[in-house]
Amino acid sequence: MDSKTDTSEEFAGDSTEAGGSQDALKRAMAASTSATAAAPEDTDGGPVAVEIADLNFFYGDFHAVTDVSLRFRTNEVTALIGPSGCGKSTVLRTINRMNDLIPGTRADGRVLFNGKNVYDDDVDPVEIRRRIGMVFQKPNPFPKSIYDNITWGARINGYKGDYDELVENSLRRAALWDEVKDKLRQNALRLSGGQQQRLCIARTIAVEPEIILMDEPASALDPISTSKIEDLIFELKERFTIIIVTHNMQQAGRISDKTAFFMVNDKRSGYLVEWGKTRELFFNPKDERTEAYISGRFG
Amino acid sequence: MSESKANSTEFKHKIKVHEEIIRVMLFASAAASILITVGIVVILGRESIPFFADPRVTFREFFGSTRWQPQIEAFGVWPLVTATMMTSGIAMLVAGPIGLFVAIYLSEYATQRVRSWLKPVLEILSGIPTVVYGYFALTFMTPLLRSIFGNDIVEIYNTGSAGLVIGVLIIPLVSSLAEDALSAVPVSLREAAYGLGGTKMETALRVVLPAAISGIAASFIVALSRAVGETMIVSLAAGAGPNFTFNPFRAAETITGHIVRISGGDIGYDTLDYNSVFALGLLLFLITLTLNMISRRIVTKYREVYE
């Protein structure tokens, strides 16, 4: 992303988005009809990969997320930050419909992936999840060999190419190849936590998704492993669009291009306070709650 | 009062009588179950000594011959063992797949509501008295087999019918233990599979099932040892005479069935017949003990340790 010729108007547009759901709706409608066309005031970066429009999310009767509208651009890293319970993980998991697996949940609003609402009736969540990969908070390799972990996704998707090549390429791209190339048949659970997490990333990129969702991928890891994961994320954005939930403000500052800040309202429902370029949001937040959170006064 | 307590250095143990009583009672219960088991083994062992010590019996014959005819003093155990293998093998052919399918359904597919009535129903299945199962085998399963395969092929007493019904009896054993194993697989693994674009079936069969394989194998072995020891169904439906055959449509007598028939008849104390019952009991015990030990081995050796 070298087209960083953004203007301040763009940010004005972005930061009012949380409140201006009417605007968001219009933009969402524009996006849904004309694929990835960006709204006029939002001229920064590449094409829109995912657009969330007026998202409300419910766990049974509990209104967990209120009126979130947000846009993610191709080959950017967007960080979702905010205090515990602010719904950032829930929002992340609506993007690949991972929340479908929890009974009694319901999403209102739209999540447009390449302009198509993933919650439309004719959309198969399995296909969405293949194209929008996910890395979880705790490393969760399958209790299989390193090799089989990488090939699992490719196998179920009927990959026809050379599996050895796929394994090597995926592990190289996840910066894990040199550490495991001599023990590909070893059980993945014998790797260290940081290696396991990089294996999970390798496994995700092996199915060539367009977007990778990361739900606090380094929170269970030590500082050295964390920094390896961060370096990796920085490299991966060359090929993938990355959306990452993190508790760690410094991490968001280091790795992300855009940041979205969420908070919890008095009904314990999460909402978006503001979002925009990470540097702007950190050094020049529009909302005093953002400033308070970032400067560590709460959360 | 609180002041004096705060400065007190009285940290000595206080002997609480009721705590001690409960502890002793719990220990006694645990000890009793072990002592009873030991007692059974000792009696089985002691009572089988006269049988093997008898000059008319040799180990070689016992484990080498395919003829068990106490009337003519032929004591080759194989006909009883093969009949036991037939009934329990057929039972496992029924209970293995069905029990496993039920377990997968309960753990991966069923909603909470379905689960809440299906599990009690399965438990009822294992609560039916085995004598009822025995007559079910004799008066339903055997006629059914005879109508399918023909009366001249299927004998009135046959190991197939008994085996099929034992299979029904042990389905709940497989399904409940296997379901425990499947449910113990962390949700995070399922999420990983779904996150890679796995369907429900791919997730269940290619991630959850392999991850639970040690528990599933253990459930099979526990069910198998139950089938080997099952007595009432085989003594009613399998046949009343040793028969060295692998034909499931022919009558044959299992180890347990033979023990029941011999001890139910009028045999004299300390006869060779009488003593043979204990030898057979010991053999049966050793078979199930071995199976249980294998199952424990599998569980501890192949269990995946997730953090």
Side-chain angles (χ1 to χ4, degrees):
Chain A
M1 291 304 84
D2 35 8
S3 58
K4 307 254 173 180
T5 55
D6 50 281
T7 57
S8 55
E9 297 99 87
E10 182 228 329
F11 274 98
D14 283 349
S15 56
T16 54
E17 191 143 354
S21 60
Q22 208 58 36
D23 284 358
L25 185 64
K26 277 186 207 140
R27 233 174 289 122
M29 286 164 116
S32 67
T33 48
S34 63
T36 56
E41 77 275 18
D42 182 31
T43 54
D44 172 55
V48 174
V50 171
E51 172 148 1
I52 293 176
D54 296 317
L55 180 73
N56 282 276
F57 196 85
F58 303 86
Y59 292 101
D61 293 332
F62 173 52
H63 193 168
V65 170
T66 304
D67 292 333
V68 170
S69 296
L70 187 55
R71 208 174 293 135
F72 306 97
R73 291 183 179 282
T74 309
N75 299 91
E76 282 186 355
V77 177
T78 305
L80 311 183
I81 63 168
S84 297
C86 69
K88 54 194 189 300
S89 284
T90 302
V91 169
L92 186 79
R93 293 165 67 101
T94 56
I95 297 171
N96 66 345
R97 291 186 57 175
M98 210 61 182
N99 287 323
D100 288 21
L101 304 173
I102 305 165
T105 57
R106 182 164 61 86
D108 277 353
R110 282 173 302 169
V111 177
L112 301 162
F113 170 44
N114 294 341
K116 171 77 176 167
N117 185 3
V118 302
Y119 282 97
D120 278 351
D121 289 339
D122 59 344
V123 170
D124 180 3
V126 169
E127 183 57 23
I128 292 295
R129 292 187 203 119
R130 203 198 65 67
R131 294 177 59 185
I132 305 178
M134 189 156 197
V135 177
F136 299 84
Q137 183 169 0
K138 261 175 57 179
N140 55 356
F142 299 128
K144 300 170 186 284
S145 69
I146 293 168
Y147 190 96
D148 289 344
N149 262 278
I150 304 288
T151 57
W152 195 89
R155 273 185 214 287
I156 60 161
N157 289 305
Y159 179 72
K160 291 284 189 292
D162 182 342
Y163 279 94
D164 292 344
E165 212 170 281
L166 177 78
V167 169
E168 179 169 349
N169 287 340
S170 307
L171 287 170
R172 277 189 193 284
R173 279 151 72 187
L176 188 60
W177 173 252
D178 290 334
E179 290 161 63
V180 302
K181 63 182 174 201
D182 299 324
K183 46 182 180 182
L184 295 176
R185 296 289 167 189
Q186 182 190 298
N187 194 310
L189 292 175
R190 283 166 59 189
L191 296 173
S192 74
Q195 289 175 325
Q196 289 188 9
Q197 193 63 303
R198 275 179 286 147
L199 177 65
C200 292
I201 293 173
R203 176 176 73 181
T204 302
I205 59 189
V207 294
E208 291 284 345
E210 289 153 59
I211 296 166
I212 300 177
L213 309 176
M214 298 187 172
D215 192 355
E216 301 191 41
S219 67
L221 305 179
D222 62 86
I224 292 171
S225 303
T226 300
S227 103
K228 283 185 183 160
I229 300 275
E230 288 180 10
D231 292 345
L232 182 55
I233 290 169
F234 201 77
E235 278 165 34
L236 288 175
K237 76 170 181 174
E238 300 287 320
R239 295 180 71 132
F240 305 99
T241 303
I242 295 172
I243 306 169
I244 178 171
V245 166
T246 177
H247 249 101
N248 182 331
M249 215 70 54
Q250 286 77 19
Q251 185 171 70
R254 282 192 297 265
I255 62 175
S256 68
D257 300 292
K258 300 272 174 67
T259 298
F261 172 58
F262 291 79
M263 266 188 49
V264 201
N265 68 18
D266 49 11
K267 294 186 191 104
R268 296 196 300 125
S269 187
Y271 64 101
L272 181 63
V273 177
E274 67 174 300
W275 66 282
K277 263 194 146 33
T278 298
R279 206 178 316 131
E280 292 283 331
L281 191 123
F282 273 64
F283 293 116
N284 191 17
K286 298 281 181 295
D287 194 296
E288 60 183 27
R289 291 167 296 183
T290 313
E291 195 188 353
Y293 183 73
I294 285 168
S295 58
R297 266 181 273 149
F298 76 97
Chain B
M1 170 217 149
S2 62
E3 193 125 342
S4 68
K5 195 136 197 175
N7 297 324
S8 133
T9 50
E10 291 287 310
F11 303 136
K12 271 185 269 173
H13 280 293
K14 292 189 195 69
I15 295 168
K16 297 192 182 99
V17 175
H18 65 280
E19 295 246 351
E20 198 58 17
I21 291 173
I22 288 171
R23 199 186 65 82
V24 168
M25 272 171 56
L26 294 176
F27 176 76
S29 311
S33 61
I34 292 172
L35 287 177
I36 290 167
T37 312
V38 170
I40 290 172
V41 175
V42 167
I43 288 179
L44 275 177
R46 204 183 57 199
E47 298 291 315
S48 351
I49 291 171
F51 175 75
F52 288 113
D54 195 290
R56 290 165 290 179
V57 181
T58 62
F59 262 112
R60 202 194 156 95
E61 188 200 9
F62 189 74
F63 290 110
S65 157
T66 57
R67 247 165 59 143
W68 182 278
Q69 278 173 287
Q71 309 90 318
I72 59 160
E73 288 165 7
F75 289 103
V77 81
W78 279 107
L80 303 178
V81 171
T82 54
T84 302
M85 281 162 58
M86 289 300 291
T87 53
S88 39
I90 291 166
M92 286 313 291
L93 288 180
V94 174
I98 295 179
L100 186 56
F101 291 156
V102 171
I104 293 172
Y105 177 72
L106 281 174
S107 138
E108 306 300 309
Y109 287 86
T111 59
Q112 197 53 49
R113 234 180 57 204
V114 174
R115 211 193 327 254
S116 69
W117 63 260
L118 188 56
K119 287 190 79 165
V121 168
L122 280 166
E123 276 152 27
I124 290 172
L125 211 55
S126 61
I128 296 172
T130 50
V131 64
V132 175
Y133 275 114
Y135 278 101
F136 175 69
L138 195 58
T139 61
F140 175 79
M141 195 58 82
T142 299
L144 183 68
L145 290 178
R146 297 189 92 186
S147 71
I148 295 172
F149 297 102
N151 286 357
D152 44 345
I153 294 178
V154 183
E155 294 179 4
I156 288 178
Y157 295 102
N158 62 79
T159 51
S161 160
L164 291 173
V165 174
I166 295 173
V168 176
L169 170 75
I170 61 176
I171 285 173
L173 215 51
V174 175
S175 69
S176 114
L177 291 174
E179 195 220 336
D180 289 347
L182 292 169
S183 302
V185 173
V187 177
S188 65
L189 285 189
R190 295 180 175 84
E191 288 191 331
Y194 287 123
L196 290 166
T199 61
K200 194 150 201 167
M201 198 186 76
E202 286 158 349
T203 303
L205 297 186
R206 300 202 195 183
V207 170
V208 180
L209 192 66
I213 201 72
S214 72
I216 290 166
S219 80
F220 277 32
I221 291 173
V222 168
L224 178 61
S225 81
R226 175 76 180 82
V228 168
E230 171 48 38
T231 305
M232 191 51 95
I233 297 172
V234 290
S235 58
L236 285 171
N243 186 2
F244 184 71
T245 175
F246 289 98
N247 183 343
F249 297 137
R250 305 222 15 223
E253 196 167 49
T254 66
I255 303 174
T256 51
H258 184 74
I259 292 174
V260 166
R261 185 167 61 88
I262 294 301
S263 35
D266 45 13
I267 47 168
Y269 178 75
D270 214 17
T271 61
L272 200 52
D273 258 9
Y274 175 85
N275 291 337
S276 77
V277 165
F278 287 94
L280 291 173
L282 185 64
L283 177 68
L284 198 60
F285 175 79
L286 290 177
I287 292 173
T288 51
L289 183 70
T290 310
L291 288 173
N292 283 323
M293 272 161 51
I294 291 172
S295 123
R296 289 195 75 100
R297 248 297 180 40
I298 290 176
V299 170
T300 51
K301 188 162 180 204
Y302 295 102
R303 183 178 45 200
E304 299 295 351
V305 183
Y306 310 99
E307 302 183 67

